[in-house]
Each structure stands twice: as C-alpha cells, then as structure tokens.
Amino acid sequence: MFGVNPSALTAAHYFVVIKIPVDPPVSTEICWKFGTNGAPDTYPWISTFGILCGAFSTSRYGLGDPAASLTAWRVFEVISTSSEYTSNLDGVQLFTTGSNAVGITSNCVLAAENTFGSTPFNGDFAGIYIFSAKLSLVGLTVMVDYLNDRFGLSIT
C-alpha cells in the first residue's frame, strides 16, 4: 500500500472516495486501520451512527454523524500532523483539534473482515490517496479538482 515504511511518516493527508449501501448501516463498518491507537476506524459505528477515526494518529476521535447520506459517493479526508487532526466529508469539516500525535502503524488494514471481531466491510471504495504531508492550499485545490473530475463529484 505504501512506497515507504508507513511508520517512518511524520504526517499524513489522505482522501478516501467511499460509499456504503445503507445509512445508517445494520452493522458497524470497519474500514481501515492506519493509526497506532489500537482500534480500527469505522464508517460509521453502529451504536452511535457516527464515524470513529484515528487514521495516522495515536488517538481515535468521534466525528459524529454527518447530515449527508453515506450511501452516495463521498470524499472522506483526514489531515494528521503533530499540531492538527482534521477530518472533512466532501470538503465540510466534521472535526478538528490542535492537539494530536501522529502515529502510523506498519501493519495497515483496509476493509477489515472480522479482523477486529466485527462484520466485514459492506461498501465500496473508488479511490484512496495518501500523502506524506499536509497539502498546501494549491495542492488541495489540485486534488479537489482531480476528485471532482475523476468521479463526477462537486466537493469544495
């Protein structure tokens, strides 16, 4: 998945183009585990119908339940640096904090199937893009334009 040892990265900015068939889902959707917080990320967690994410971090954050339906293609974005953890859905901020410790596991998991005692991921990924630093405003604009053109989206 990575061209370098992921545990050597000191920051990450990633985008996932994703959808699930039913919102809220009938079971917890385990999507990935890129962080060192010991728990997988969920999109969403069934008991709270919210997204739990700790990708590229030593912590796991409750991002809440977005108003947008997760049954349509969405762009889920995370920025993890030593001074920021921010998550966005289609360019709209779900969560941010200025307190974060970057943690990237060398044992990454994507679309876990019962790996964490849960049901297999029931959804679709169209693209996953991971950068080893927070994108500049110009880089972010280029990436958003690419995602909009590539997948017929209208994110900001």
Side-chain angles (χ1 to χ4, degrees):
M1 173 180 286
F2 294 99
V4 298
N5 178 357
S7 60
L9 298 176
T10 59
H13 194 154
Y14 87 109
F15 302 82
V16 178
V17 182
I18 187 173
K19 72 175 180 174
I20 58 175
V22 179
D23 185 14
V26 295
S27 63
T28 296
E29 302 298 341
I30 304 295
C31 292
W32 50 78
K33 183 175 184 289
F34 299 143
T36 58
N37 57 61
D41 294 343
T42 62
Y43 185 91
W45 184 262
I46 187 67
S47 63
T48 60
F49 302 121
I51 299 170
L52 293 174
C53 191
F56 306 105
S57 179
T58 61
S59 297
R60 190 169 171 214
Y61 304 101
L63 311 182
D65 184 14
S69 172
L70 302 179
T71 60
W73 286 110
R74 299 288 175 207
V75 176
F76 182 69
E77 172 189 5
V78 167
I79 301 163
S80 181
T81 71
S82 61
S83 61
E84 175 185 12
Y85 194 90
T86 298
S87 64
N88 301 313
L89 187 67
D90 294 341
V92 176
Q93 189 175 87
L94 297 174
F95 176 85
T96 191
T97 182
S99 176
N100 183 56
V102 176
I104 304 171
T105 183
S106 59
N107 186 23
C108 297
V109 176
L110 180 63
E113 183 171 340
N114 293 323
T115 305
F116 302 100
S118 187
T119 57
F121 177 70
N122 183 24
D124 296 299
F125 294 99
I128 299 172
Y129 307 88
I130 302 171
F131 300 90
S132 60
K134 179 181 177 179
L135 295 180
S136 67
L137 184 55
V138 170
L140 181 59
T141 300
V142 169
M143 187 63 192
V144 166
D145 288 346
Y146 167 78
L147 293 171
N148 284 334
D149 290 345
R150 172 74 172 89
F151 298 105
L153 303 171
S154 57
I155 62 171
T156 56

